[in-house]
């Protein structure tokens, strides 16, 4: 980190950006590009890649100054996979050329990303994936397989992809990590309609998809190591996102409690108080976790945050439906749509209740995350795994 960059310097650079590119008269995309080039996109990233090699905590200074000037943001919910998963992985394992090519349009929001990890036979046991990548004589790769539960695949330009490159090795060691062009021939995206009626998820079929070797992240066969960076960042981005007090699921039910006194009972009062306190503890814990993060290197604590996020969302949304009584059983709109962003807390109470059921599955099931917390945070003995040294091709499937 650069010792010369402090809060005063970051504030000065932000004021220079606003003076040179007034938000009121500068197009949104042009302003965001100028912000990236000024190193004010994510200040802890390297210079030339949207940052200043500055402490992560200084991002708050930039964001506050820009918010006060009514400057546009990059719509982070729409590009959350790119920001929260692809970017730190590219920063950690990408070549200089890859970083220059992908990070700027990713942050600006010109290119949306998705994540091609899970498969019908490799969800919680992700390392069992069967999608194959075979390298040709020209060095490039041909990929065949199927991915599932892919958020935003229907609007994505790029995908982070893991595929098996050596079936003769144990499952964790024969995987490589790629950047896949979602517009290439052989990429077939099909909607998966969910319990909410929406199809924010997709299944993706890959048939003879060509990926240049220049779009490989990390060494051949070390894709599992690269994927761990993605997965840890994913759990932080899902469970540890910055929200204001009474943000998230606890906000709507608290508002209903205040505005609808006729719905209150002693039991729901006690439950709401308990969940409000737990939500606030989780929010403050997330703040502390973010302050401890080194750029691109979150630890297993993010799994604990994601666990809490899923449990609280499900309990809070259940309380909200119960508090509303018959009204809580109404469902506003079951129209099949393919939204451009994932909205955990939007729409009505019944939507929040149904959507929260996926929180304990997506981004790592709660059962898997409990194992991670037990082994990597609490130091408990690892569960026996009899397939760690068996070649993938010899595993029962």
């Amino acid at each position: 980190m650069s010792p010369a960059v402090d809060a005063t310097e970051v504030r000065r650079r932000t004021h220079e950006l606003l003076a040179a590119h007034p938000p009121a008269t500068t197009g949104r995309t042009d302003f965001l590009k100028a912000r990236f080039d000024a190193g004010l996109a994510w200040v802890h990233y390297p210079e030339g890649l949207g940052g200043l090699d500055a402490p992560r905590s200084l991002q708050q200074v930039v964001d506050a100054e820009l918010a006060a000037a009514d400057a546009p943001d990059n719509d982070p919910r729409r590009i959350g996979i790119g920001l929260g998963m692809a970017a730190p992985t590219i920063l950690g394992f990408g070549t200089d050329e890859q970083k220059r090519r992908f990070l700027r349009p990713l942050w600006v929001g010109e290119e949306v990303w998705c994540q091609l990890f899970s498969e019908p036979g490799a969800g919680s046991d992700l390392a069992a994936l069967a999608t194959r990548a075979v390298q040709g004589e020209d060095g490039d790769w041909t990929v065949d397989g199927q991915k599932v539960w892919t958020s935003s695949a229907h609007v994505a330009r790029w995908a982070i992809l893991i595929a098996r490159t050596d079936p003769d090795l144990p499952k964790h060691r024969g995987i490589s990590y790629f950047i896949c062009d979602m517009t290439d021939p052989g990429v077939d995206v099909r909607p998966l309609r969910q319990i909410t009626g929406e199809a924010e998820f997709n299944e993706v079929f890959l048939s003879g998809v060509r990926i240049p070797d220049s779009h490989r992240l990390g060494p051949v066969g070390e894709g599992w190591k690269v994927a761990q960076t993605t997965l840890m960042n994913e759990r932080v981005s899902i469970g540890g996102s910055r929200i204001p007090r009474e943000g998230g699921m606890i906000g709507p039910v608290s508002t209903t409690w205040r505005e609808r006194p006729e719905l209150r009972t002693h039991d729901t009062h006690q439950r709401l108080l308990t969940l409000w306190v737990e939500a606030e503890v989780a929010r403050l814990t997330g703040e502390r976790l973010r302050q401890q993060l080194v750029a691109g290197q979150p630890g297993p604590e993010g799994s604990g945050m994601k666990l809490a996020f899923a449990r609280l969302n499900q309990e809070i949304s259940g309380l909200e439906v119960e508090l509303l009584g018959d009204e809580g059983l109404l469902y506003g709109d079951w129209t099949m749509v393919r939204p451009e962003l994932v909205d955990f807390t939007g729409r009505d109470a019944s939507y929040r209740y149904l959507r929260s059921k996926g929180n304990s599955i997506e981004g790592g099931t709660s059962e898997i995350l409990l194992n991670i917390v037990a082994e990597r945070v609490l130091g408990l003995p690892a569960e026996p795994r009899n397939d760690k040294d068996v070649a993938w091709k010899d595993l029962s499937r």
Side-chain angles (χ1 to χ4, degrees), residues 285-360:
T285 302
E287 289 288 340
R288 184 175 64 183
L289 173 62
R290 281 186 295 277
Q291 293 169 8
Q292 294 172 341
L293 289 178
V294 177
Q297 298 297 325
E301 296 84 1
S303 296
M305 286 301 303
K306 200 271 180 178
L307 270 171
F309 168 84
R311 180 184 65 82
L312 282 170
N313 275 3
Q314 292 172 357
E315 292 187 12
I316 292 169
S317 62
L319 172 61
E320 183 181 18
V321 168
E322 186 174 337
L323 179 65
L324 290 168
D326 293 345
E327 185 181 332
L329 300 178
L330 300 176
Y331 201 82
D333 187 2
W334 215 285
T335 305
M336 199 287 219
V337 295
R338 304 179 78 180
E340 290 194 5
L341 55 83
V342 178
D343 188 356
F344 292 143
T345 60
R347 292 172 46 178
D348 49 28
S350 51
Y351 171 86
R352 287 189 282 275
Y353 176 76
L354 293 179
R355 182 59 185 84
S356 69
K357 299 305 176 187
N359 293 163
S360 53

Side-chain angles (χ1 to χ4, degrees), residues 36 45-50 87 89-105 179 213-218:
F36 185 95
Y45 271 43
E47 292 189 46
L49 298 176
T89 308
I90 293 170
L91 181 66
F93 294 92
T95 63
D96 289 342
E97 181 180 354
Q98 289 169 340
K99 294 171 189 177
R100 287 192 299 270
R101 165 60 186 88
F102 293 113
L103 290 179
R104 188 174 188 253
I179 295 172
D213 192 54
S214 60
H215 284 183
R216 172 172 46 84
L217 281 180

Side-chain angles (χ1 to χ4, degrees), residues 185-262:
V187 178
D188 181 14
V189 179
R190 304 178 191 176
L192 284 174
R193 195 174 189 190
Q194 299 148 234
I195 193 173
T196 61
E198 297 180 334
E200 72 192 46
F201 293 125
N202 304 270
E203 55 183 346
V204 180
F205 295 85
L206 305 162
S207 303
V209 177
R210 297 278 293 176
I211 298 181
D213 192 54
S214 60
H215 284 183
R216 172 172 46 84
L217 281 180
V220 174
E222 294 190 20
W224 187 251
K225 176 183 177 181
V226 182
Q228 292 309 297
T229 293
T230 304
L231 294 172
M232 288 189 293
N233 277 284
E234 177 182 29
R235 288 153 193 169
V236 170
S237 66
I238 293 177
S241 58
R242 177 172 280 111
I243 59 174
R245 192 173 190 179
E246 265 195 25
M249 285 284 191
I250 200 65
V253 69
S254 298
T255 299
T256 298
W257 179 267
R258 295 186 181 103
E259 296 179 351
R260 304 280 300 276
E262 74 278 7

Side-chain angles (χ1 to χ4, degrees), residues 137-185:
E137 294 182 359
D138 59 358
D140 293 343
W141 301 81
T142 301
V143 180
D144 292 276
Q146 180 186 357
K147 299 292 183 175
V148 75
W149 312 127
T150 308
S151 300
S152 302
H154 54 292
V155 294
R157 172 67 171 82
W158 297 101
I160 44 179
L161 161 73
I162 49 177
R164 188 158 306 281
T165 49
D166 192 341
D168 294 323
L169 293 175
K171 60 183 182 180
H172 292 87
R173 288 163 42 201
I175 295 171
S176 299
Y177 197 116
F178 301 93
I179 295 172
C180 175
D181 188 338
M182 294 295 289
T183 67
D184 275 352

